[in-house]
Amino acid sequence: MSRMAIRYTPEDCAHLLSAVRTQQPLIQCLTNAVVTNFTANVLLALGAAPAMVDIPGEAAEFAPVASGVLVNLGTPTQSQRAAMVEAAEAARAAGTPWVLDPVAVGALSVRTAAARTLADLGPAIIRGNASEIMALAGAGTGGRGVDSTDTPAAAEAAARSLATATGAAVAVSGARDLVFGADGTGVGIANGHVLLTRVTGGGCALGAVMAAFLAVTPDAVLAAAAATGTYTVAAERAARLASGPGSFAVALLDELAAVAPGDVAAALRLQALAPAALQQQGAL
Amino acid sequence: MSRMAIRYTPEDCAHLLSAVRTQQPLIQCLTNAVVTNFTANVLLALGAAPAMVDIPGEAAEFAPVASGVLVNLGTPTQSQRAAMVEAAEAARAAGTPWVLDPVAVGALSVRTAAARTLADLGPAIIRGNASEIMALAGAGTGGRGVDSTDTPAAAEAAARSLATATGAAVAVSGARDLVFGADGTGVGIANGHVLLTRVTGGGCALGAVMAAFLAVTPDAVLAAAAATGTYTVAAERAARLASGPGSFAVALLDELAAVAPGDVAAALRLQALAPAALQQQGAL
Amino acid sequence: MSRMAIRYTPEDCAHLLSAVRTQQPLIQCLTNAVVTNFTANVLLALGAAPAMVDIPGEAAEFAPVASGVLVNLGTPTQSQRAAMVEAAEAARAAGTPWVLDPVAVGALSVRTAAARTLADLGPAIIRGNASEIMALAGAGTGGRGVDSTDTPAAAEAAARSLATATGAAVAVSGARDLVFGADGTGVGIANGHVLLTRVTGGGCALGAVMAAFLAVTPDAVLAAAAATGTYTVAAERAARLASGPGSFAVALLDELAAVAPGDVAAALRLQALAPAALQQQGAL
């Protein structure tokens, strides 16, 4: 267990935040109409540079220039779906890491087909709530709209299986966030605040933050964990300043800009998760 | 007059707010690009669950699952117009109540045709400003963009006629909001604040709130009145905290989350409106 | 130099702000999905009336009714590109002044073609960052996504050439904003705050504000300068109230509503720029 326990430290995550701020990675977002403004503002607050390039003919042109790409299926118009495949293929060919967020996959037919196609195009991270990850892994039928009807713990087996099948790191958001690697690595992040569920795009914007962290490390599990850690620590700080969901969203942007790497290192609660094999053997 | 005077009380409206918070209805929104983020945040703040499912092939799939649907014609792309008809037909077939907001109908040809088609598909509530309601009823040519050039009082005859023709409750927003039922019922809500007109989507988001209230009562006039009452009481509270339109929009979200049913009951100023017949006879 | 120095005064700009507040011009915006909400709220806060009419069949219908039009190429879907040409042609035919914002032109092929077509349709103002203006003038290859990789000073020759070629006033945003007229006029505006670069749409919304000022003066250089001056003075005031980019965006809306013409006149730092010919001759 000692190896797992020290695989990633809060200091590793804090170091990546410094790198994001220094390198200001250019993040291409193909995301839904509901959260595109908030997502761009989250990236700007963090210190990254958003570029919402999501039309056919430009999506593939931009992916090789970008440092990271987010593909989010929240409101997938026909034009956007074509652009998403373009961008994913161009990102893969150019070596630009990209994040897939299969919003509401399972319950809705068009995006479910799109998500399966995209999952085969080499995302570095797949991010969703428990119901979405289960549905994409073929282990469930999706949640209630964008809301999960399952807990992250219930999605663990599906997430590990999806990571193995796709080679992607799989991040499951919830009261405790979980990240699994294709090699069996598992990390829990026990930060965050319930107000994140009362702001639209609270999860969607995290996908963009993950793309920004992918731009500064080749380790997708670490990128997902560090992004989640930075975002949820900022959320905890914002919640202390907020009077409700409106002022929380504003304070979250302020705190994403203000939070120092040392703040993240001090507040982050990372947990090593035992490999599935050990769990199944009852060794833990 | 006594029957009318007590038909709906502030306590009825407050009771419905409690029901929305308890049941957390899932509200499908097909709405315009300008206000989709604010609308989702308003629903989340209120305690409902937004799902902005507005593409062909998914819109009809989701409407039977949703507890209420909003169709708002603010920026009606071709794809969205097709999805709106899909969603309205599926909602009608499944018994999911839905709200039609015919933004800027009258002056603009594409949406005027779409609004007429949709008005025949059984909306439970039609919501608009005075010029929009008059234009949809065939009694006017629309306003100035999204702004009304008529007062709610001037739209009363058109609203009553539209309610009778469609069977929908017809809600007319303005300094005093009015709601009319197909059976001749009329309710005035004398709450609100002028800052609501300085935030884009101030009216559009109210349409989504009406859909949330429709999910907890079969009485469309009461749903429209209770939604309007909750929203405008929250607006009054937000205005007391605001320094201008930016901080007002933030405070409105905070107050939609914070306002208690008892606060609504205490602050709501409902007014019974005399039936048109009595008005015409000069009896009042 | 004395003629140049007094051509436009801060009082001229303040006077136009009063006119915008009095006339409440109706501004049609065909803009990108990321910033459409913020842009509408900026116009409302300022005292103008936004109308985001951007679909084919309605775009041309509305442009003659509008007092000013904004065409912004940030996320140009196929439908929106068709509507933009429609709106620009209808605006030109009707005499409605319009603003072109060629976001990220140069690096991306679809919008570059669209921007060149639109630049020939008689915009009154072309607004962009230095890299965008240089790319549209044929003097550069564009920036890094939406970010400029050139300074306004470096873009001066390209901006002057673009103004001469199109007849439009050309506004270049940056730490110091510059505006050039087709007749050789040049104005610098040395106001603003770096937080404007940390909010998505900080520049895009300024394009809409320019359209609002075009509605109250036939002098496009003055309209661009007065819009920039009002916006950047409000930004300076907002920055004093802000804790970060989230609260800055909120405060900017509050300050756009609160700033008085006298405040603008007092704070605005206008600078006359020497004609290119004099600069080339080393006379200055």
Side-chain angles (χ1 to χ4, degrees):
Chain A
M1 285 296 290
S2 62
R3 188 187 59 83
M4 292 195 312
I6 61 165
R7 177 149 182 178
Y8 301 118
T9 65
E11 287 71 24
D12 294 334
C13 296
H15 179 72
L16 289 189
L17 172 58
S18 296
V20 167
R21 295 239 173 95
T22 303
Q23 297 181 32
Q24 302 178 34
L26 183 58
I27 306 304
Q28 179 182 9
C29 298
L30 302 94
T31 191
N32 68 76
V34 191
V35 307
T36 182
N37 179 273
F38 184 65
T39 301
N41 277 333
V42 161
L43 286 172
L44 284 168
L46 183 70
M52 309 330 244
V53 180
D54 71 345
I55 61 170
E58 290 191 347
E61 220 168 23
F62 200 75
V65 178
S67 304
V69 178
L70 168 69
V71 174
N72 172 301
L73 283 165
T75 54
T77 61
Q78 187 172 29
S79 156
Q80 225 189 12
R81 295 196 303 275
M84 286 170 175
V85 172
E86 248 190 38
E89 288 179 339
R92 181 163 63 168
T96 306
W98 68 280
V99 176
L100 173 62
D101 189 337
V103 180
V105 70
L108 293 162
S109 58
V110 175
R111 70 187 66 195
T112 300
R116 295 199 192 288
T117 299
L118 288 161
D120 288 337
L121 295 176
I125 298 175
I126 300 174
R127 191 214 82 79
N129 64 37
S131 294
E132 290 160 352
I133 295 302
M134 291 171 73
L136 190 57
T141 55
R144 177 172 174 270
V146 300
D147 295 335
S148 184
T149 52
D150 301 283
T151 64
E156 178 168 344
R160 288 185 183 276
S161 143
L162 187 61
T164 305
T166 60
V170 175
V172 189
S173 57
R176 184 175 69 149
D177 298 289
L178 305 178
V179 182
F180 302 99
D183 64 354
T185 315
V187 182
I189 300 99
N191 293 85
H193 195 278
V194 69
L195 276 170
L196 272 177
T197 66
R198 299 293 292 274
V199 175
T200 195
C204 296
L206 175 53
V209 174
M210 287 181 183
F213 277 80
L214 275 177
V216 298
T217 176
D219 182 336
V221 172
L222 177 57
T228 304
T230 298
Y231 192 72
T232 53
V233 167
E236 291 173 356
R237 295 162 54 102
R240 289 197 283 269
L241 303 168
S243 308
S247 48
F248 171 73
V250 172
L252 179 56
L253 295 174
D254 284 353
E255 292 301 318
L256 282 167
V259 67
D263 298 327
V264 171
L268 191 51
R269 293 188 292 278
L270 288 186
Q271 303 166 335
L273 302 177
L278 292 180
Q279 293 185 312
Q280 287 166 4
Q281 293 163 17
L284 293 161
Chain B
M1 282 297 289
S2 61
R3 188 188 59 81
M4 293 196 312
I6 61 165
R7 176 150 184 178
Y8 301 118
T9 66
E11 288 71 25
D12 295 334
C13 296
H15 179 72
L16 289 188
L17 172 58
S18 297
V20 167
R21 295 240 172 95
T22 303
Q23 298 182 33
Q24 301 177 35
L26 183 58
I27 306 304
Q28 180 181 8
C29 299
L30 302 94
T31 191
N32 67 76
V34 192
V35 307
T36 181
N37 180 273
F38 184 65
T39 302
N41 277 331
V42 161
L43 286 172
L44 282 168
L46 184 71
M52 309 331 245
V53 181
D54 70 346
I55 61 169
E58 290 192 348
E61 219 168 21
F62 201 74
V65 178
S67 304
V69 179
L70 167 69
V71 174
N72 172 301
L73 283 166
T75 55
T77 62
Q78 187 172 28
S79 156
Q80 222 188 15
R81 296 196 303 276
M84 286 170 175
V85 172
E86 249 190 37
E89 289 178 340
R92 181 163 62 168
T96 306
W98 68 281
V99 175
L100 173 62
D101 189 338
V103 180
V105 70
L108 293 162
S109 58
V110 175
R111 70 189 65 197
T112 300
R116 295 200 192 288
T117 299
L118 287 160
D120 288 336
L121 295 176
I125 298 174
I126 299 174
R127 191 213 83 78
N129 64 36
S131 294
E132 290 160 352
I133 295 302
M134 291 172 74
L136 190 58
T141 56
R144 178 173 174 268
V146 300
D147 296 335
S148 185
T149 51
D150 300 284
T151 63
E156 178 167 344
R160 289 185 183 276
S161 144
L162 187 61
T164 305
T166 61
V170 174
V172 189
S173 57
R176 184 174 70 150
D177 299 289
L178 305 177
V179 183
F180 302 98
D183 64 355
T185 316
V187 181
I189 300 101
N191 293 85
H193 195 277
V194 70
L195 276 170
L196 273 176
T197 66
R198 298 292 292 275
V199 175
T200 194
C204 295
L206 175 54
V209 174
M210 288 181 182
F213 277 81
L214 275 177
V216 298
T217 176
D219 182 335
V221 172
L222 176 57
T228 303
T230 298
Y231 192 74
T232 53
V233 167
E236 291 173 355
R237 294 162 54 102
R240 288 197 285 270
L241 303 168
S243 308
S247 49
F248 171 72
V250 172
L252 179 56
L253 294 174
D254 284 353
E255 291 301 317
L256 282 167
V259 67
D263 298 327
V264 171
L268 191 51
R269 293 190 290 278
L270 288 186
Q271 304 167 333
L273 303 177
L278 292 181
Q279 293 184 310
Q280 287 165 4
Q281 293 163 17
L284 293 160
Chain C
M1 284 295 289
S2 61
R3 189 188 57 81
M4 293 195 313
I6 61 164
R7 177 147 183 180
Y8 301 118
T9 66
E11 288 70 25
D12 294 333
C13 296
H15 179 73
L16 289 189
L17 172 58
S18 296
V20 168
R21 294 239 172 95
T22 304
Q23 298 182 33
Q24 302 177 33
L26 183 58
I27 306 304
Q28 179 182 8
C29 299
L30 302 94
T31 191
N32 68 77
V34 191
V35 307
T36 182
N37 179 273
F38 184 65
T39 301
N41 277 332
V42 161
L43 286 172
L44 283 168
L46 183 70
M52 309 331 245
V53 181
D54 71 346
I55 61 170
E58 290 191 348
E61 219 169 23
F62 200 74
V65 178
S67 304
V69 178
L70 167 68
V71 174
N72 172 302
L73 283 166
T75 55
T77 62
Q78 187 173 29
S79 156
Q80 223 188 13
R81 295 196 304 274
M84 286 169 174
V85 172
E86 248 190 38
E89 288 178 340
R92 181 163 62 168
T96 307
W98 68 280
V99 176
L100 173 62
D101 189 337
V103 179
V105 70
L108 293 162
S109 59
V110 175
R111 71 188 65 196
T112 300
R116 294 199 192 289
T117 300
L118 288 160
D120 288 337
L121 296 177
I125 298 174
I126 300 175
R127 191 213 82 78
N129 64 38
S131 293
E132 290 159 352
I133 295 303
M134 291 171 73
L136 189 59
T141 56
R144 178 174 174 267
V146 299
D147 296 335
S148 184
T149 51
D150 301 283
T151 63
E156 178 167 345
R160 288 185 184 275
S161 143
L162 187 61
T164 305
T166 60
V170 175
V172 189
S173 57
R176 183 174 71 151
D177 299 289
L178 305 177
V179 182
F180 302 99
D183 64 354
T185 316
V187 182
I189 301 101
N191 293 86
H193 195 278
V194 70
L195 276 170
L196 271 176
T197 66
R198 299 292 292 276
V199 175
T200 195
C204 295
L206 174 54
V209 173
M210 288 180 183
F213 277 80
L214 275 177
V216 298
T217 176
D219 182 335
V221 172
L222 177 56
T228 303
T230 299
Y231 192 73
T232 53
V233 166
E236 291 174 356
R237 294 162 54 102
R240 288 196 284 270
L241 303 169
S243 307
S247 48
F248 171 73
V250 172
L252 178 57
L253 295 173
D254 285 352
E255 292 301 319
L256 282 167
V259 67
D263 298 325
V264 172
L268 191 52
R269 293 189 291 278
L270 288 186
Q271 304 167 334
L273 302 177
L278 292 181
Q279 292 185 312
Q280 288 166 4
Q281 295 162 15
L284 293 161

